[in-house]
Amino acid sequence: MSFTFQLVRDDEGFPTAVVFEDSTSPGLVPVWEAAGVYDALYNSDGQLAREVSRAISYGLDRVTDDATLQQLLPPGVSMNEAIRFLDNVNRGCITHGAAWIRTR
């Protein structure tokens, strides 16, 4: 089962809409913990995207620059997947800063 990160907008007069969604392997939890983004990803339900964007950006830098995190990857998952996911979440949080977070 994958981990899904969503950004949801609730604009006045319009129906609630998912404006961003991406998912990744749940096996990346040790990487997220080491990179300092676990709370920003898993414990952010209901927060605004702008509230976690700095942590996500920092974690993206760590995952990109710290080769020692490779050893925390589960078999069959590459660091490219972790980078892709965090990069997408980072861009989503910056673009939709007023959206609230929903995780599954």
Side-chain angles (χ1 to χ4, degrees), residues 15-54:
T16 301
V18 174
V19 293
F20 171 83
E21 178 177 289
D22 199 357
S23 60
T24 192
S25 166
L28 291 171
V29 167
V31 175
W32 302 149
E33 289 172 335
V37 294
Y38 180 87
D39 283 338
L41 292 173
Y42 286 87
N43 296 324
S44 59
D45 273 352
Q47 292 183 15
L48 293 178
R50 71 170 66 98
E51 295 173 357
V52 300
S53 63
R54 180 174 284 177

Side-chain angles (χ1 to χ4, degrees), residues 11-12 22 39 80 97:
D11 294 327
E12 292 180 31
D22 199 357
D39 283 338
N80 289 337

Side-chain angles (χ1 to χ4, degrees), residues 90-101:
N90 186 49
R91 282 188 281 117
C93 286
I94 291 169
T95 303
H96 304 287
W100 52 274
I101 298 166

Side-chain angles (χ1 to χ4, degrees), residues 1-5 22-42 56 59-60 62-64 66 68-89 104:
M1 188 160 136
S2 65
F3 169 73
T4 302
F5 187 94
D22 199 357
S23 60
T24 192
S25 166
L28 291 171
V29 167
V31 175
W32 302 149
E33 289 172 335
V37 294
Y38 180 87
D39 283 338
L41 292 173
Y42 286 87
I56 298 293
L60 177 59
R62 290 271 331 265
V63 169
T64 303
D66 189 348
T68 64
L69 297 179
Q70 293 252 5
Q71 65 193 15
L72 301 174
L73 292 170
V77 178
S78 73
M79 189 56 80
N80 289 337
E81 172 60 16
I83 292 169
R84 180 208 62 79
F85 178 74
L86 279 186
D87 186 43
N88 285 345
V89 169
R104 306 187 261 154

